[in-house]
Amino acid sequence: MLQDTQIETLLLASTRFRGLVHTPSCDSTQLLAAAGPENDDRVFWADHQTSGRGRRDRVWHDEPATDLLLTLRVTVRLPNPAALPAALPVAVLEACELAAPECRLRIKWPNDLLVDGRKLCGVLIDRDSARPDTYRIGIGLNVNRTRFPAELEAIATSLALASGRLCDRSELLLAVARGVDRLLRELCTGSIATPLALFRERLGLIGRMVTVDGAPAARLDDIDFEHLTLAGGRRVPLAAVQSIRLERR
Ligand code: BTN
């Protein structure tokens, strides 16, 4: 387990992040990260959140000092901000597989990570219109917990459950921060071939029949970080897509 000062030194040496704010408990790291200047890229880490928030204002549940609850605050001028939500899970996926190489993760649209069909991680991006280049990237990752509340038991998992051993949260934090830092550079320079290939592979939907936002099922011919293309050439911007479901018939 790395000490916070060691994490901070490593973040400074190898990423855009200028510091780490680590707290035993807060309402939400998204709120913690909301205060602060622009161009002050920082990692906010809580061992527990009293009001953890998921997408669509759902509650994000954690097991204190067991999971990873992070907000990475970054200010970056992205050539295409719409690509970020689809691309981010790739960086987190790679960090998880570094920590638990025996696990094979899948991406579930829009930005969940699954293992063995159960949710391992969710990503949430907040951005204020007054500061459009500052993103608060919230990452909730189930790391070492082995029990879930009854309503999550059948649909959630953790790295420990999937790999059969405990993972070092501090090492994982560092791997996530490094992965996100690298991905942002790739998005800025347009060198996205590697993350895009992994995104396509782990989404696992190309060539399959899908339902996009409840429309009649159609074959997904292609997808990148910005668009999907359905059979017949219909191109849909991902920013407009709420759900992509695999048609199992
Ligand atoms: C989702 O799948 O709905 C996204 C979940 C995001 C949860 C993380 S935990 C750290 C950060 N703080 C929050 O309140 N939410 C995000």
Side-chain angles (χ1 to χ4, degrees):
M1 177 94 180
L2 297 167
Q3 300 301 307
D4 287 357
T5 49
Q6 291 174 295
I7 300 175
E8 206 155 29
T9 304
L10 291 164
L11 286 173
L12 274 164
S14 59
T15 72
R16 73 192 57 224
F17 298 106
R18 300 296 93 201
L20 170 72
V21 176
H22 185 188
T23 176
S25 178
C26 68
D27 37 17
S28 159
T29 53
Q30 295 297 98
L31 287 176
L32 213 56
E38 256 182 320
N39 292 308
D40 182 50
D41 294 359
R42 219 160 267 278
V43 177
F44 298 81
W45 177 20
D47 291 325
H48 173 56
Q49 296 181 131
T50 53
S51 302
R53 179 169 59 86
R55 279 192 314 276
R56 301 185 183 184
D57 282 334
R58 293 194 184 111
V59 170
W60 185 260
H61 182 270
D62 67 79
E63 180 83 27
T66 305
D67 298 323
L68 210 44
L69 311 162
L70 299 177
T71 299
L72 310 186
R73 184 177 68 205
V74 295
T75 301
V76 59
R77 176 67 55 89
L78 291 173
N80 186 355
L84 188 62
L88 270 173
V90 177
V92 186
L93 180 151
E94 287 186 292
C96 291
E97 290 191 355
L98 214 59
E102 59 276 67
C103 294
R104 188 177 165 83
L105 273 57
R106 298 194 73 90
I107 296 172
K108 178 165 179 269
W109 177 263
N111 38 29
D112 288 348
L113 293 178
L114 307 187
V115 63
D116 302 329
R118 293 167 182 238
K119 182 156 169 171
L120 177 74
C121 174
V123 179
L124 169 77
I125 304 172
D126 289 332
R127 188 153 72 128
D128 300 329
S129 48
R131 298 203 298 194
D133 291 336
T134 299
Y135 302 83
R136 295 189 302 278
I137 302 167
I139 298 167
L141 177 53
N142 301 329
V143 183
N144 286 326
R145 77 160 104 180
T146 51
R147 286 177 317 172
F148 289 90
E151 69 275 18
L152 297 179
E153 208 161 11
I155 56 171
T157 191
S158 68
L159 275 182
L161 285 171
S163 69
R165 59 190 170 72
L166 297 178
C167 295
D168 184 324
R169 289 185 305 144
S170 60
E171 297 280 3
L172 197 52
L173 179 154
L174 204 54
V176 168
R178 286 177 170 151
V180 170
D181 179 63
R182 189 180 60 234
L183 178 77
L184 292 171
R185 259 185 286 122
E186 290 166 341
L187 291 173
C188 283
T189 58
S191 335
I192 56 167
T194 306
L196 187 55
L198 198 54
F199 172 71
R200 287 188 168 121
E201 184 205 339
R202 299 307 179 86
L203 193 65
L205 294 178
I206 294 179
R208 307 186 73 178
M209 295 297 285
V210 296
T211 302
V212 176
D213 289 341
R219 195 183 64 233
L220 183 76
D221 276 353
D222 198 10
I223 189 164
D224 57 27
F225 291 143
E226 292 159 49
H227 296 91
L228 61 79
T229 309
L230 296 169
R234 188 157 77 90
R235 217 162 167 248
V236 185
L238 290 187
V241 173
Q242 295 294 323
S243 76
I244 309 174
R245 294 198 195 293
L246 182 63
E247 194 63 18
R248 296 195 183 271
R249 278 174 292 141

